[in-house]
Amino acid sequence: MIEVQVTETINCPADRVLEFVMDPRAYAAVDRKIGAIDWVRRDGDVTEFRFGSKLPGLPGPAAKIVSRMSRTPGERVDVRLPPIPANRLANLVSEFSASWVCVPAGEQTAVTRTVRCGFKGPMKWLAEPVLRRTLRPDVEDEMRQAKAALEARQS
């Protein structure tokens, strides 16, 4: 299993960070792991969307998956993959979770982004060594871009 955790301090309130995360079409501009989005369904603090997922460093076309995000207002967004039949990819993944945890600090927010994933069978031996090298720089870049996008909106 691979786990990457990156913290970035962003000049905006936690609620704005979390609302940005809950909008997959907006967030896709800063996250290369989100490819073409087929649909988005939002009901209050839960967003589901289907998209082409591309993991950094892994060859091949983007795999279509459904992601479910749940927001705890002012605090965090947690991501899980709904089970089969919504996600055929679930046959290959032993675990996937992600989160954005916000800790307000005056006018700023410390945002900790965590991505955790593990694979089953042969995918474990193919994907995990690659992701050990490529996932951290990808998430660091994602957080730098999220910071820039959110702070640009503040102006």
Side-chain angles (χ1 to χ4, degrees), residues 12 14 28 30 33-35 43 51 62 64 70 72-74 85 88 91 94 101 106 118 125-126 137 139 144-145 154:
C12 77
V30 302
K33 295 177 293 302
I34 300 173
D43 184 11
F51 68 104
K64 293 290 186 171
S70 301
T72 302
R88 284 177 263 152
N91 286 326
S94 62
V101 176
W125 311 115
L126 170 70
V139 174
R144 277 191 301 274
Q145 289 189 56
Q154 285 288 97

Side-chain angles (χ1 to χ4, degrees), residues 94-150:
S94 62
E95 177 183 345
F96 176 84
S97 63
S99 63
W100 291 261
V101 176
C102 294
V103 177
E107 298 291 313
Q108 301 179 322
T109 303
V111 181
T112 300
R113 171 79 161 117
T114 304
V115 178
R116 185 177 297 116
C117 59
F119 296 87
K120 298 176 186 174
M123 278 300 291
K124 179 181 181 93
W125 311 115
L126 170 70
E128 288 187 15
V130 172
L131 289 176
R132 283 188 209 297
R133 292 188 321 271
T134 61
L135 190 58
R136 174 167 295 284
D138 183 82
V139 174
E140 288 170 347
D141 183 60
E142 170 192 337
M143 290 300 291
R144 277 191 301 274
Q145 289 189 56
K147 174 183 174 84
L150 285 160

Side-chain angles (χ1 to χ4, degrees), residues 8-133:
E8 187 75 56
T9 300
I10 301 176
N11 269 335
C12 77
D15 285 332
R16 283 211 37 248
V17 172
L18 298 174
E19 186 58 33
F20 180 54
V21 169
M22 291 292 286
D23 180 351
R25 288 190 172 95
Y27 201 81
V30 302
D31 187 349
R32 290 179 296 218
K33 295 177 293 302
I34 300 173
I37 296 173
D38 295 336
W39 52 260
V40 176
R41 296 182 186 129
R42 181 149 180 196
D43 184 11
D45 289 326
V46 176
T47 299
E48 283 193 348
F49 67 108
R50 184 172 188 259
F51 68 104
S53 173
K54 185 80 169 127
L55 292 174
L58 294 178
K64 293 290 186 171
I65 64 170
V66 174
S67 182
R68 179 178 296 139
M69 299 187 291
S70 301
R71 176 175 55 180
T72 302
E75 295 178 19
R76 64 186 299 136
V77 169
D78 293 290
V79 181
R80 299 272 189 258
L81 302 180
I84 299 169
N87 281 312
R88 284 177 263 152
L89 185 64
N91 286 326
L92 303 173
V93 176
S94 62
E95 177 183 345
F96 176 84
S97 63
S99 63
W100 291 261
V101 176
C102 294
V103 177
E107 298 291 313
Q108 301 179 322
T109 303
V111 181
T112 300
R113 171 79 161 117
T114 304
V115 178
R116 185 177 297 116
C117 59
F119 296 87
K120 298 176 186 174
M123 278 300 291
K124 179 181 181 93
W125 311 115
L126 170 70
E128 288 187 15
V130 172
L131 289 176
R132 283 188 209 297
R133 292 188 321 271

